[in-house]
């Protein structure tokens, strides 16, 4: 697994390769070493140091994790056993008790961090708020009291549907403080999607805002919640943050303003200790069926994974100002805006709005104004910045930056190099972090200062992570061969189950390779042991870094009265990574039209959210099917990409369908 250091150390810049070599070989040979200056100050300054710690973490994992858990977390009651593994169920740090919010807040009080900024917030209109650790603690304590007065008890589910404002962080930590399980619903989801999530986890309380700012417009959050609540009987109360001043309908006895609830609530709160395995949050994500999966994370193992990885991956220093552009509604916002960073006592910069509001240089402006040192963003954003043009970047200094990160999809070597050169000025290492909602924390990454970087490769496993590339039968494939990515051993921040559906949990993740976690991704490992992620091998699309299940889109389309049958597939897209193409057959007697295309796109927007609206709607007289009636997506993918249909079509029931589809637009 060790990279061949001779190859990696030959030159500090990208190696020159002869033209004869193939593109993929060329890609793998490009190596960027972290600068000596970065290495000198790094939390982990050499490949040897990484290797030593990594070997310990996988050879004697229980000892490694015991030490990390004792050193990094504040325990109220020490744990007895590090790991209880009864595949697919893991229990970490059993017998131990702690409070996650205490680990993010109280532990910093009475230290030099007390008056340090925990959050620096900039709203899209330009309003700025700084909240110190001490102030954040007050806010969280107050909300914890409010929760308790409302009758929220440990284990109750609380849904958050909020913009990227400090109240979102306060609400998450207040849930953790009282042992309530939060489920954050991304602000782009529609009323229908909110309703499904509320009903699945039977949420008792919803916290929302009147609205949030996005590209100069108000997203009406409370209105969506109101619609969802017409059919979500478990919800008893709604707390509403005033953000945009948009008029909202408040229902007496159910809805209250955050500010009014606030008044009189004490700002000290004795946090109870909860079991290591107490549920911390549910986060819904797309899978291969129409119903989103409620990924469940628990307390100690998750927090440890988020904290340890934040420290090493972002090379955190006391003086850093860290900006992660992910929304709090995704796992990145959970692990690398809130839990991992605040438990490390870092200063987190939060931005509410769009990267191109008012101009496409908003990020660069903010980085200069706030002295941001670390930027963690997504390839889809990087591609948009590239498209908007270098001039927007070049008018800013960006000299405070010292580290860059990427997450959510494979980053092309071209985008990587642009990011490195234009944003990082050749000086900042880039951490390309591979992980998933389910893994809770970063799993594969070139640790800055210790691992040479190869543009486009997520690189090497993080501590305690044992990734392998295998074939259909679970046999490891030779280096350089594509296969399926599995994680061979349990790790502390792994999901524990799917909320209310343990059977689906076992089937989805641990049945392809019995007892072993299957990621759903295809990947390969190069001769130096570096991992190259290829993408999903299941029916999940990655559109602008958002996970969208094709089955969810199909289920949404099926509820439209004009639709007889629909199939959703992805096609490569320069900006979004993948674009969503749907093939629709209409009910008898109905005719296709541009108006109907628009209507179907809007319908998916209403059923799921604007981020899931199909890019292309194609009407078809019939869909390619096997003789047993299964839609042949492989064929549709090729048609959607404008490629010739190749491969085995012997099971296809009706060949004329393909010709018809190719001629349709
Ligand atoms: O396909 C992989 C891709 O995103 C999927 C996980 O999506 P989600 O649970 O929404 O979490 C995204 C943020 C962690 C993975 O199965 N993915 C994530 N990071 C990378 C990636 N693909 C390539 N390179 C990455 N760095």
């Amino acid at each position: 697994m060790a990279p061949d250091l001779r190859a990696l150390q030959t030159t500090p810049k990208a190696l020159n390769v002869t033209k004869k070599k193939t593109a993929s070989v060329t890609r793998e040979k490009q190596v960027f070493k972290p600068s000596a200056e970065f290495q000198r100050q790094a939390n982990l300054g050499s490949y040897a140091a990484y290797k030593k710690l990594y070997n310990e973490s996988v050879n004697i994992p229980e000892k490694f994790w015991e030490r990390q858990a004792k050193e990094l977390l504040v325990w109220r009651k020490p744990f007895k056993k590090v790991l209880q593994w009864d595949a697919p169920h893991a229990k970490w740090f059993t017998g131990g008790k702690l409070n996650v919010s205490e680990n993010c807040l109280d532990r910093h009080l009475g230290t030099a961090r007390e008056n340090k900024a925990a959050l620096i917030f900039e709203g899209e209109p330009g309003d700025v708020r700084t909240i110190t650790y001490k102030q954040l603690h007050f806010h969280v304590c107050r909300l914890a009291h409010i929760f308790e007065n409302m009758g929220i008890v440990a284990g109750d589910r609380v849904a958050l549907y909020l913009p990227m404002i400090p109240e979102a962080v306060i609400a998450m930590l207040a849930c953790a403080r009282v042992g309530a399980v939060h489920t954050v619903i991304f602000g782009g989801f529609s009323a229908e999607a909110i309703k499904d999530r509320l009903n699945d986890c039977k949420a008792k309380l919803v916290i929302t805002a009147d609205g949030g700012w996005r590209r100069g417009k108000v997203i009406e959050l409370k209105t969506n919640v109101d619609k969802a609540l017409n059919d979500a009987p478990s919800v008893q109360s709604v707390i509403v943050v005033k953000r945009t001043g948009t008029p909202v309908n408040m229902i007496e006895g159910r809805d209250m303003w955050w500010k009014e609830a606030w008044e009189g609530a004490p700002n000290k709160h004795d946090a109870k200790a909860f079991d290591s395995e107490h549920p911390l949050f549910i986060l819904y994500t797309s899978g291969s069926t129409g119903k989103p999966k409620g990924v469940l994370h628990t307390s100690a193992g998750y927090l440890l994974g988020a904290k340890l990885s934040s420290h090493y991956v972002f090379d955190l220093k006391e003086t850093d100002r860290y900006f992660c552009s992910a929304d709090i509604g995704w796992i990145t916002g959970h692990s690398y805006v809130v839990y991992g960073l605040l438990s490390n006592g870092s200063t987190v910069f939060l931005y509410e709005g769009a990267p191109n509001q008012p101009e496409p240089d908003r990020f660069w402006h903010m980085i200069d104004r706030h002295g941001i040192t670390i930027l963690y963003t997504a390839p889809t954003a990087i591609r948009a910045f590239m498209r908007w043009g270098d001039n927007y970047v070049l008018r800013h200094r960006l000299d405070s930056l010292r580290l860059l990160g990427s997450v959510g999809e494979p980053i092309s070597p071209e985008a990587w190099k642009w990011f490195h050169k234009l944003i990082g000025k050749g000086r900042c290492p880039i951490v390309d972090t591979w992980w998933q909602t389910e893994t809770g924390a970063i799993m594969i990454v070139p640790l800055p200062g210790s691992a040479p970087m190869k543009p486009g490769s997520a690189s090497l496993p993080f501590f305690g992570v044992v990734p392998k590339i295998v074939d259909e039968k679970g046999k490891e494939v030779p280096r350089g061969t594509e296969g399926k990515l599995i994680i061979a051993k349990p790790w502390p921040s792994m999901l524990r189950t799917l909320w209310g559906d343990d059977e689906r949990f076992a089937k989805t993740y641990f049945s392809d390779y019995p007892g072993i976690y299957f990621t759903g991704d295809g990947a390969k490992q190069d001769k130096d042991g570096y991992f190259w992620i290829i993408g999903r091998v299941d029916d999940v699309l990655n559109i602008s870094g958002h996970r969208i299940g094709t089955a969810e889109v199909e289920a949404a389309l099926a509820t439209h009265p004009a639709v007889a049958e629909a199939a959703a597939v992805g096609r490569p897209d320069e900006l979004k990574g993948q674009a969503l193409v749907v093939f629709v057959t209409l009910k008898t007697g109905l005719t296709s039209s541009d108006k109907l295309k628009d209507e179907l796109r809007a319908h998916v927007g209403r059923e799921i959210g604007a981020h899931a609206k199909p890019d292309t709607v194609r009407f078809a007289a019939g869909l390619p099917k096997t003789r047993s009636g299964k839609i042949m997506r492989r064929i549709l993918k090729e048609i959607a990409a404008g490629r010739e249909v190749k491969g085995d079509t012997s099971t296809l029931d009706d060949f004329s369908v393909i010709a018809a589809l190719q001629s349709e637009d």
Side-chain angles (χ1 to χ4, degrees):
M1 160 108 33
D4 178 349
L5 285 174
R6 277 166 309 158
L8 299 175
Q9 285 173 346
T10 42
T11 161
K13 296 212 179 82
L15 293 175
N16 287 325
V17 276
T18 58
K19 284 204 181 115
K20 269 184 263 161
K21 303 219 166 126
T22 65
S24 66
V25 173
T26 310
R27 277 192 353 169
E28 290 170 17
K29 281 249 164 143
Q30 290 192 314
V31 178
F32 288 73
K33 273 188 40 177
S35 69
E37 197 188 340
F38 190 94
Q39 278 187 303
R40 262 196 301 280
Q41 61 78 62
N43 291 348
L44 202 71
S46 71
Y47 180 74
Y50 157 73
K51 204 61 201 164
K52 185 161 175 266
L53 217 44
Y54 179 75
N55 285 344
E56 185 203 340
S57 77
V58 295
N59 295 335
I60 30 172
E62 304 216 351
K63 191 168 157 235
F64 175 85
W65 288 118
E66 179 177 352
R67 188 177 75 243
Q68 300 298 343
K70 283 184 176 161
E71 277 175 15
L72 297 183
L73 302 184
V74 176
W75 294 90
R76 293 274 193 86
K77 187 171 167 228
F79 54 87
K80 289 210 174 82
K81 199 166 168 10
V82 174
L83 171 64
Q84 205 176 306
W85 177 231
D86 182 10
H89 297 112
K91 285 188 180 160
W92 285 85
F93 311 115
T94 48
K97 280 186 191 274
L98 82 180
N99 185 291
V100 171
S101 118
E102 179 185 345
N103 269 277
C104 294
L105 299 171
D106 307 52
R107 72 170 307 163
H108 307 309
L109 304 183
T111 75
R113 287 181 185 149
E114 184 172 273
N115 293 315
K116 174 178 174 175
L119 302 177
I120 301 175
F121 165 74
E122 183 161 317
E124 197 182 76
D127 49 322
V128 173
R129 275 164 77 189
T130 300
I131 300 178
T132 64
Y133 271 95
K134 196 172 173 182
Q135 291 166 333
L136 187 59
H137 178 255
F138 279 169
H139 287 299
V140 170
C141 285
R142 280 196 171 186
L143 191 59
H145 277 292
I146 296 165
F147 284 170
E148 283 171 354
N149 292 341
M150 293 171 90
I152 300 290
V153 295
D156 280 348
R157 273 81 59 209
V158 174
L160 315 182
Y161 184 65
L162 284 163
M164 278 293 277
I165 54 176
E167 285 77 2
V169 180
I170 295 168
M172 287 164 81
L173 291 173
C175 287
R177 198 161 186 93
V178 302
V181 185
H182 58 70
T183 185
V184 185
I185 304 172
F186 169 58
F189 277 115
S190 68
E192 228 7 73
I194 303 171
K195 182 197 80 184
D196 290 345
R197 284 155 178 76
L198 296 177
N199 287 331
D200 188 75
C201 70
K202 303 209 168 35
K204 212 163 157 184
L205 167 69
V206 178
I207 304 184
T208 187
D210 51 355
W213 292 105
R214 189 83 192 168
R215 277 194 198 92
K217 292 208 182 79
V218 172
I219 310 276
E220 295 194 4
L221 300 170
K222 173 68 162 65
T223 314
N224 284 343
V225 169
D226 286 342
K227 278 191 213 143
L229 290 188
N230 286 334
D231 198 6
S234 61
V235 176
Q236 296 169 5
S237 334
V238 182
I239 297 180
V240 189
V241 180
K242 188 171 255 178
R243 168 70 190 136
T244 53
T246 314
V248 293
N249 183 25
M250 298 292 279
I251 293 186
E252 181 89 39
R254 187 194 76 182
D255 303 351
M256 76 183 91
W257 289 104
W258 173 287
K259 204 156 170 260
E260 282 164 19
W262 217 237
E263 268 148 33
N267 54 20
K268 286 214 164 57
H269 177 268
D270 288 329
K272 280 202 200 82
F274 297 102
D275 270 3
S276 293
E277 285 295 336
H278 185 75
L280 181 63
F281 64 85
I282 302 166
L283 192 54
Y284 286 90
T285 190
S286 297
S288 310
T289 74
K291 191 172 173 281
K293 304 181 284 196
V295 168
L296 180 75
H297 283 288
T298 58
S299 300
Y302 168 78
L303 184 64
L304 182 62
K307 183 170 184 184
L308 181 76
S309 55
S310 298
H311 173 77
Y312 283 114
V313 173
F314 301 116
D315 190 50
L316 292 177
K317 300 290 180 315
E318 212 50 66
T319 47
D320 275 318
R321 289 183 162 198
Y322 164 97
F323 173 25
C324 165
S325 67
D327 192 274
I328 215 121
W330 310 116
I331 190 68
T332 309
H334 285 57
S335 303
Y336 300 112
V337 173
V338 183
Y339 292 110
L341 276 291
L342 298 180
S343 59
N344 273 299
S346 300
T347 295
V348 175
F349 176 73
L350 279 187
Y351 172 56
E352 177 189 28
N356 55 351
Q357 182 66 26
E359 292 283 325
D361 62 349
R362 181 64 183 262
F363 275 21
W364 323 128
H365 226 296
M366 294 192 299
I367 286 170
D368 278 358
R369 270 189 289 111
H370 296 286
I372 306 289
T373 58
I374 302 170
L375 171 66
Y376 189 33
T377 189
T380 187
I382 298 168
R383 291 191 296 266
F385 297 137
M386 288 168 78
R387 179 172 285 198
W388 290 332
D390 295 358
N391 283 341
Y392 285 109
V393 180
L394 295 172
R395 39 169 106 132
H396 301 278
R397 295 191 316 276
L398 303 183
D399 53 357
S400 54
L401 285 174
R402 63 179 201 91
L403 181 71
L404 303 174
S406 166
V407 58
E409 42 174 329
I411 179 167
S412 69
E414 294 66 38
W416 192 102
K417 284 186 222 159
W418 184 90
F419 198 33
H420 190 249
K421 186 169 166 207
L422 268 284
I423 310 301
K425 312 293 179 200
R427 139 192 109 234
C428 305
I430 298 179
V431 287
D432 176 354
T433 61
W434 177 87
W435 60 297
Q436 308 178 297
T437 305
E438 292 86 344
T439 68
I442 291 166
M443 303 291 275
I444 303 182
V445 57
L447 286 180
S450 70
M453 296 162 286
K454 298 188 184 191
S457 168
S459 305
L460 299 167
F462 186 65
F463 304 131
V465 178
V466 186
K468 291 198 165 123
I469 314 281
V470 297
D471 64 16
E472 298 293 333
K473 293 203 177 98
K475 193 166 162 287
E476 258 190 276
V477 299
R479 292 253 167 112
T481 312
E482 280 181 26
K484 294 188 176 171
L485 178 64
I486 58 163
I487 311 292
K489 298 227 171 107
W491 64 101
S493 64
M494 68 195 289
L495 80 165
R496 298 300 194 261
T497 188
L498 293 177
W499 184 259
D501 202 346
D502 196 53
E503 211 174 295
R504 186 176 178 197
F505 161 71
K507 185 162 179 288
T508 309
Y509 303 106
F510 292 92
S511 69
D512 290 53
Y513 306 103
I516 293 175
Y517 179 81
F518 173 44
T519 62
D521 275 356
K524 69 176 178 169
Q525 222 179 341
D526 68 18
K527 66 174 177 32
D528 298 321
Y530 273 50
F531 285 86
W532 297 77
I533 308 296
I534 291 149
R536 305 287 309 189
V537 292
D538 52 11
D539 290 325
V540 173
L541 305 179
N542 191 330
I543 297 180
S544 299
H546 294 162
R547 235 166 105 163
I548 296 176
T550 50
E552 266 173 81
V553 178
E554 289 163 8
L557 283 166
T559 62
H560 190 279
V563 174
E565 193 171 37
V569 295
R571 85 167 132 72
D573 183 87
E574 225 180 88
L575 198 60
K576 298 165 119 188
Q578 278 189 300
L580 177 61
V581 180
V582 296
F583 292 87
V584 175
T585 58
L586 295 174
K587 288 196 177 139
T588 322
L590 296 176
T591 39
S592 56
S593 67
D594 284 345
K595 191 161 162 266
L596 188 53
K597 276 188 189 175
D598 291 343
E599 167 53 28
L600 292 178
R601 293 184 74 248
H603 181 73
V604 177
R606 277 193 300 275
E607 290 289 308
I608 304 176
H611 61 289
K613 279 187 188 173
D615 296 276
T616 310
V617 178
R618 292 176 68 157
F619 294 110
L623 298 175
K625 290 189 182 163
T626 60
R627 273 161 218 146
S628 61
K630 210 168 164 240
I631 295 174
M632 294 181 78
R633 292 169 183 286
R634 180 174 54 77
I635 293 179
L636 290 177
K637 272 186 215 165
E638 282 168 3
I639 293 170
R643 287 192 298 256
E644 197 191 325
V645 175
K646 286 195 279 216
D648 183 12
T649 48
S650 57
T651 54
L652 184 67
D653 184 39
D654 177 2
F655 280 91
S656 65
V657 168
I658 295 189
L661 274 170
Q662 281 169 328
S663 63
E664 310 256 4
D665 94 79

